[in-house]
Amino acid sequence: MRLVRFGEPGAEKPGLIDADHVLRDLSGEIDDIAGDHLSRAGLDRIRALDPKSLPKADPSRRLGPCVGRVGNFIAVGLNYADHAAETGAELPSEPVLFNKATSSIVGPHDDVIIPLGSTKLDWEVEIAIVIGETAHNVSEAEALDHVAGFCLCNDVSERAWQKERGGQWMKGKSAPTFGPLGPWLVTTDAIEDVQAIDLWLDVSGRRMQTGSTSTMIFPVRTLVSYISQFIALQPGDVITTGTPAGVGAGMKPPRWLQPGDIIALGGTHLGEQRLTVKAHTA
């Protein structure tokens, strides 16, 4: 299934994309793509519905982030060897974890706002994991049983704040609009092999990133199991899993996002995002 949330920010309704690519309104059945609705039982209830029995929704409506009420927004750094190399970092022996603020989450076609004081704004195409069942100390073998599905994420990053201001990476990863998710949440049964997803990203028509989840250092199963050693992951938690090479910081000279840039990104089965970069106006 492809699950979506549509409508104005803060008032999104749950929906799904049917086999004919029609947007259907789920709000008569569930209150949101969130919480227990992401569990195996919750998804089975949605799966049992006849999509054609659901009202059609206006396809021009804004798509919001594809999961609601996110409790934890966890990110994995340096999870592709080519990206580690372009940034001059050593390959990690264990997953590198940091947090993104949930207040950074926006929809797949919303604007990316350059925050006040930003000088080195960058992009990162990633596949994100959405947790469906509580996961604490789970094995790799059972890890995917706790996953509701996957979505596209742009891990927007302010490199000066991330690398030059001391402390942890969170401060360069968490400004408003730094976490576009969607367009849709693809349930695990709709993806044959999550380690065979092609990813790409363009900036203003120029291809910057081309990669595949097949080259992850730590695959999805490993990440869920590993993170669950330290955190009791809850339904709706999001784990964004790292980016392949091609970020602005790795170019010579570096290429930073500017007002008017258009960021387009996509992944196999995951749909596409299109985001306009704008200056902060407040």
Side-chain angles (χ1 to χ4, degrees):
M1 292 188 296
R2 293 177 294 173
L3 302 175
V4 299
R5 300 171 71 247
F6 63 94
E8 295 307 304
E12 291 93 348
K13 292 183 177 182
L16 61 78
I17 307 295
D18 70 17
D20 297 318
H21 310 293
V22 174
L23 174 60
R24 300 282 180 171
D25 188 342
L26 272 170
S27 61
E29 304 292 337
I30 62 173
D31 66 337
D32 203 353
I33 308 297
D36 290 342
H37 299 304
L38 296 168
S39 68
R40 289 188 293 274
L43 292 176
D44 283 345
R45 285 193 292 272
I46 299 172
R47 199 174 284 114
L49 298 171
D50 177 6
K52 296 189 183 302
S53 71
L54 301 170
K56 291 182 180 180
D58 181 353
S60 68
R61 296 289 297 277
R62 167 189 175 268
L63 290 181
C66 57
V67 58
R69 303 199 296 269
V70 177
N72 288 300
F73 192 5
I74 300 163
V76 182
L78 305 174
N79 199 27
Y80 290 75
D82 56 358
H83 174 56
E86 73 174 345
T87 60
E90 295 183 4
L91 294 183
S93 58
E94 295 187 33
V96 175
L97 305 180
F98 59 93
N99 283 95
K100 289 177 72 76
T102 57
S103 57
S104 71
I105 296 173
V106 290
H109 308 304
D110 291 342
D111 295 332
V112 170
I113 305 301
I114 303 174
L116 289 173
S118 169
T119 58
K120 298 181 178 180
L121 195 65
D122 208 345
W123 58 83
E124 295 190 5
V125 60
E126 308 193 1
I127 183 174
I129 305 161
V130 178
I131 298 297
E133 303 271 354
T134 299
H136 191 209
N137 291 319
V138 301
S139 68
E140 290 193 25
E142 61 184 349
L144 290 185
D145 294 337
H146 298 264
V147 173
F150 306 94
C151 67
L152 200 63
C153 176
N154 185 359
D155 179 18
V156 181
S157 306
E158 212 304 327
R159 302 300 187 190
W161 297 356
Q162 177 188 358
K163 300 291 185 68
E164 300 170 19
R165 297 289 297 273
Q168 298 182 343
W169 290 359
M170 182 179 180
K171 66 180 69 172
K173 298 283 192 169
S174 293
T177 74
F178 276 24
L181 296 178
W184 43 68
L185 167 62
V186 184
T187 53
T188 56
D189 59 308
I191 294 181
E192 183 176 351
D193 183 1
V194 72
Q195 300 305 151
I197 301 292
D198 292 328
L199 299 170
W200 59 269
L201 182 144
D202 296 345
V203 176
S204 296
R206 178 183 173 188
R207 180 60 47 93
M208 299 296 190
Q209 291 186 277
T210 303
S212 170
T213 58
S214 64
T215 65
M216 280 182 174
I217 298 170
F218 303 105
V220 166
R221 288 180 181 273
T222 300
L223 293 175
V224 173
S225 174
Y226 180 85
I227 295 168
S228 79
Q229 295 176 38
F230 311 104
I231 300 169
L233 295 165
Q234 303 296 318
D237 284 354
V238 174
I239 304 166
T240 191
T241 61
T243 196
V247 300
M251 301 179 70
K252 300 185 186 308
R255 201 294 198 189
W256 308 120
L257 291 166
Q258 303 297 324
D261 276 334
I262 304 294
I263 315 169
L265 56 150
T268 313
H269 307 300
L270 302 178
E272 298 183 8
Q273 296 185 5
R274 185 175 176 85
L275 308 149
T276 301
V277 179
K278 294 187 177 180
H280 194 286
T281 56

